[in-house]
Amino acid sequence: MRFKFILIALLIPVFIWAQEGEKEKAKISLSGFVKADYIFDSRQNIEGREGFYIAYPKPKVYDANGIDINNHPSSNQYGMTSRLGFKADGITVLNAKSMAYIEGDFTGPSNAHNNTLRLRHAYIKLDWKSNSLLVGQYWHPNDVPEMIPKILSLNTGAPMHSFSRGPQIRFTQNMGPIKWIAVAYAQRDFTSTGPQGVSSKYLREGIVPDLSLQAHWTHKSVFAGVGVNYKRLHFRSMTLDNQLMTDDVPALSALAFIKVKHKKWDIRLQGVWGENLYDHLMLGGTAIASVDSLNAQIEYSNISAVSAWSTIYYTFGKLKVGVFGGIAKNQGCAEEIAGSVYARGTDIDYVYRVSPQWYYTVKNLTIANEWEYTVAAYGTPDSYGKVNDTYEVGNLRFTLSLIYAF
């Protein structure tokens, strides 16, 4: 028996060497762009990345003299969204076309690390004729690649449109014009919030991954689809007498979308409803619905939101003009709130945005301009998280960009 173990141990390196000898040389390609941006904002904003990412304007806050301290403009310049992507393909593995892709930009993993490398995508894809398997970091299923708004702003339409990427296993089944997509997803850079702050631990300790199922339909110039998403967060907290309280908080979301691309027109429309969309940079989250410290029992309820957006583009030769319009609405909780709230936009009833833009491209070089007007309606949340007695504040962002693609 010992001789067999020794023989197997000796043969393992030989087997690995033999497998290495079977490697084929993949085709390597480089892509990306260098992007330089100038921005001007008319008001202070809820922001990230030194103000390059903005969600919506800050509320009115008055000093002792009645001056709104957030009513002040700002400007900045950036190069950190410049992007590099590497693709390896051209090899058949397990009777499938194989491809590996890795992409990053320089917005950093957090606000404290601007201009450092951030991983955007890193995945392996095996593509058979009727189905495919993708494993690695990629867009969340709610960020349908064919539907992502093509705008200059780093927010890509948030909080009306999802903005989230993470590790996942994605299986796609093609059935004629219909494509079914099933995804098991984990959080990484875009995470939920809870009693211990913003973290991926709530999904990890919930054991079950973020699960999605979508159906996509394509016919000539029309692309449409629907999808549902389920996630379960596990919250843990301690009572004053050191007793552990836990609760599993499931959340659902759904989306529907359509894109029509015909001749020089590109029209997109999407609607989203969801509970606890915090990890998508959208409105919503969770709140304590009941707590019994004596018996160490606690229950949470989701804060939901609904949103809709559309883009319309038309191309005149080298010039493309378009407009983005969207709205997000806070729908509050189904249960009365009895404690702490862990959410985004808790004092906001709705946010809407209109952003006209144009792009002029000559070969690899594009000059682009966007005017992004965003309004947030602030007010006072009631016991169900619904916001009343609102007032509007708006911010106008001017963006001018020069982009060299390769």
Side-chain angles (χ1 to χ4, degrees):
M1 182 65 70
R2 181 180 298 177
F3 174 76
K4 289 183 179 180
F5 281 119
I6 294 173
L7 182 61
I8 291 171
L10 291 174
L11 289 176
I12 285 175
V14 176
F15 175 77
I16 294 174
W17 177 83
Q19 294 296 307
E20 290 178 349
E22 296 175 2
K23 286 183 179 178
E24 298 179 27
K25 189 174 182 180
K27 178 184 176 183
I28 307 295
S29 57
L30 169 69
S31 63
F33 56 80
V34 177
K35 186 168 181 272
D37 301 282
Y38 169 80
I39 62 100
F40 171 85
D41 287 302
S42 64
R43 184 178 179 83
Q44 302 295 297
N45 296 282
I46 303 298
E47 62 181 38
R49 302 303 190 268
E50 296 182 355
F52 194 30
Y53 169 86
I54 59 170
Y56 36 78
K58 289 183 176 180
K60 294 179 180 179
V61 177
Y62 297 100
D63 69 1
N65 298 313
I67 297 173
D68 180 4
I69 64 174
N70 288 326
N71 186 23
H72 187 78
S74 65
S75 67
N76 210 340
Q77 299 182 59
Y78 309 92
M80 58 185 167
T81 57
S82 299
R83 189 178 303 171
L84 283 173
F86 294 88
K87 182 171 75 171
D89 62 359
I91 297 175
T92 299
V93 178
L94 301 175
N95 295 320
K97 293 181 179 179
S98 67
M99 187 266 280
Y101 184 72
I102 185 167
E103 178 185 284
D105 62 20
F106 301 91
T107 55
S110 67
N111 290 327
H113 298 91
N114 292 328
N115 282 347
T116 60
L117 184 64
R118 176 184 67 160
L119 182 67
R120 286 171 50 86
H121 300 296
Y123 59 84
I124 299 165
K125 185 177 181 181
L126 300 177
D127 193 353
W128 293 273
K129 289 183 178 181
S130 59
N131 47 56
S132 65
L133 178 68
L134 183 150
V135 181
Q137 180 157 306
Y138 191 55
W139 289 111
H140 187 281
N142 284 9
D143 296 80
V144 181
E146 296 89 344
M147 290 297 300
I148 295 175
K150 302 299 182 183
I151 58 180
L152 284 178
S153 181
L154 182 61
N155 58 40
T156 67
M160 301 84 182
H161 179 267
S162 171
F163 188 173
S164 186
R165 290 182 295 265
Q168 61 192 266
I169 300 172
R170 177 183 295 238
F171 180 77
T172 302
Q173 179 67 51
N174 299 313
M175 301 178 66
I178 298 177
K179 180 174 13 179
W180 292 93
I181 300 173
V183 181
Y185 177 93
Q187 294 179 354
R188 178 56 188 92
D189 295 332
F190 302 86
T191 56
S192 299
T193 188
Q196 283 79 48
V198 180
S199 174
S200 65
K201 68 178 294 181
Y202 312 116
L203 182 63
R204 289 187 282 115
E205 293 179 355
I207 308 301
V208 180
D210 179 307
L211 299 173
S212 290
L213 179 64
Q214 292 186 0
H216 296 179
W217 176 75
T218 304
H219 179 69
K220 295 182 179 179
S221 59
V222 179
F223 171 75
V226 293
V228 292
N229 173 257
Y230 170 86
K231 67 172 176 273
R232 186 183 70 179
L233 305 183
H234 181 74
F235 288 160
R236 299 160 61 89
S237 56
M238 304 298 293
T239 65
L240 293 177
D241 58 350
N242 204 34
Q243 294 186 76
L244 176 65
M245 297 187 296
T246 66
D247 190 27
D248 290 318
V249 189
L252 293 172
S253 66
L255 72 161
F257 50 86
I258 185 171
K259 178 173 76 170
V260 179
K261 196 168 185 178
H262 182 66
K263 294 182 178 180
K264 297 181 179 181
W265 289 96
D266 184 321
I267 303 172
R268 309 178 188 197
L269 175 66
Q270 179 172 287
V272 178
W273 170 85
E275 300 171 320
N276 189 8
L277 294 173
Y278 186 95
D279 52 312
H280 295 266
L281 301 187
M282 302 175 75
L283 301 180
T286 58
I288 294 176
S290 66
V291 59
D292 181 356
S293 298
L294 293 177
N295 295 306
Q297 295 180 347
I298 192 168
E299 291 184 0
Y300 293 81
S301 181
N302 290 304
I303 298 175
S304 62
V306 62
S307 66
W309 63 267
S310 180
T311 57
I312 301 175
Y313 294 103
Y314 187 81
T315 302
F316 302 86
K318 297 178 182 179
L319 178 66
K320 182 173 73 172
V321 296
V323 61
F324 170 92
I327 186 169
K329 180 74 167 65
N330 181 353
Q331 293 192 308
C333 271
E335 301 177 65
E336 191 168 9
I337 297 172
S340 298
V341 177
Y342 310 103
R344 176 178 288 106
T346 56
D347 56 351
I348 292 176
D349 183 30
Y350 58 84
V351 179
Y352 69 82
R353 177 179 299 142
V354 178
S355 56
Q357 62 231 219
W358 59 264
Y359 306 79
Y360 187 79
T361 302
V362 179
K363 296 183 178 180
N364 297 54
L365 189 66
T366 299
I367 183 171
N369 173 229
E370 182 175 69
W371 297 76
E372 179 182 280
Y373 183 61
T374 306
V375 172
Y378 285 92
T380 304
D382 63 17
S383 59
Y384 287 87
K386 295 183 178 180
V387 180
N388 304 302
D389 303 321
T390 62
Y391 67 90
E392 292 186 348
V393 291
N395 173 67
L396 178 62
R397 162 163 286 196
F398 170 87
T399 302
L400 184 63
S401 302
L402 191 64
I403 308 163
Y404 188 94
F406 55 88

